[in-house]
Amino acid sequence: MQGFNTLWMPGTDHAGIATQTVVEKRILAEEGKRRTDFKRDEFVARVQAWKDEYEARIIEQLKAMGCSCDWPRTRFTMDETCAKAVRAAFFKLFKDGLIYRGKRLVNWDPATQTVLADDEVEHETIQGNFWYLRYPLTEPVIIESKRVEYVTVATTRPETMLGDTAVAMNPNDLEQNTLSAKKSNYPSWAGLSDYCR
């Protein structure tokens, strides 16, 4: 537009989970069906049809605004050419050690049965309970002239007690230093109510 030789190559993004979620909600509202009611190819075709409809609308809006794109070169991120380029780029990044596979905590969405990006997660604060579990010490200790027979652990997830193997304490908490390296017993099921309060 200013006399320079440039290329504005237009393209649209597949928007992944966001698009899938919109399509799933539409199908549920209009037909009362879920994604799992379709074969994979059928559902992908429904998503593709939705994409085609809205992609055309977006491109028409860009044209109406006067965008001087090279329209015959329009690309979609899931086109075979683009998908091949993405696979090649990721393979090279992996081979060069710039990305790697590893076990990570992820945002698993049970509704869509897939992982969501951090910016796709809707956080919700819920009212919960705070539990105090008493782990009996194998040998009582004296702290500030008081006999201490158990270590109290506070948690919002008491069910994780089943996997407990150790009790960690803040090393800067001088009052608790007496308990450092001491051993505790696992609360028995028979007396579990005695150890929860």
Side-chain angles (χ1 to χ4, degrees), residues 1 12 41 44 58 66 81 92 106 116 137 150 160 171-172 196:
M1 289 168 59
T12 55
D41 291 343
V44 169
I58 290 166
T81 303
K92 183 171 181 356
V106 296
L116 302 178
L137 296 169
Y150 56 83
T160 62
N172 298 323
C196 296

Side-chain angles (χ1 to χ4, degrees), residues 47-197:
V47 173
Q48 184 71 33
W50 185 92
K51 186 278 297 184
D52 292 342
E53 177 187 343
Y54 284 89
E55 178 183 59
R57 184 182 296 179
I58 290 166
I59 288 174
E60 286 307 313
Q61 289 172 344
L62 290 170
K63 288 179 179 178
M65 289 190 302
C67 296
S68 59
C69 300
D70 190 350
W71 297 110
R73 295 190 190 203
T74 301
R75 287 278 181 223
F76 172 56
T77 51
M78 298 299 284
D79 287 343
E80 187 53 38
T81 303
C82 294
K84 187 176 179 182
V86 168
R87 284 193 298 272
F90 270 89
F91 179 77
K92 183 171 181 356
L93 289 169
F94 182 77
K95 194 173 114 189
D96 294 345
L98 298 172
I99 60 173
Y100 56 91
R101 287 183 173 181
K103 293 184 178 181
R104 298 285 180 272
L105 288 175
V106 296
N107 304 309
W108 178 256
D109 180 17
T112 57
Q113 293 289 295
T114 191
V115 176
L116 302 178
D118 290 343
D119 62 350
E120 294 174 316
V121 175
E122 295 177 9
H123 294 276
E124 181 182 342
T125 301
I126 60 170
Q127 186 64 40
N129 294 310
F130 212 51
W131 299 82
Y132 296 86
L133 306 175
R134 295 179 182 177
Y135 287 76
L137 296 169
T138 54
E139 295 178 17
V141 296
I142 304 298
I143 299 178
E144 296 181 358
S145 303
K146 292 182 182 174
R147 181 182 166 94
V148 177
E149 297 182 357
Y150 56 83
V151 176
T152 303
V153 176
T155 181
T156 58
R157 302 276 309 279
E159 66 273 18
T160 62
M161 179 187 81
L162 301 173
D164 288 351
T165 56
V167 176
M169 295 180 296
N170 181 348
N172 298 323
D173 187 346
L174 300 178
E175 283 186 13
Q176 304 303 326
N177 272 350
T178 311
L179 295 170
S180 181
K182 299 297 181 192
K183 293 184 178 180
S184 68
N185 289 319
Y186 200 76
S188 67
W189 287 112
L192 189 58
S193 60
D194 296 335
Y195 299 103
C196 296
R197 60 180 174 98

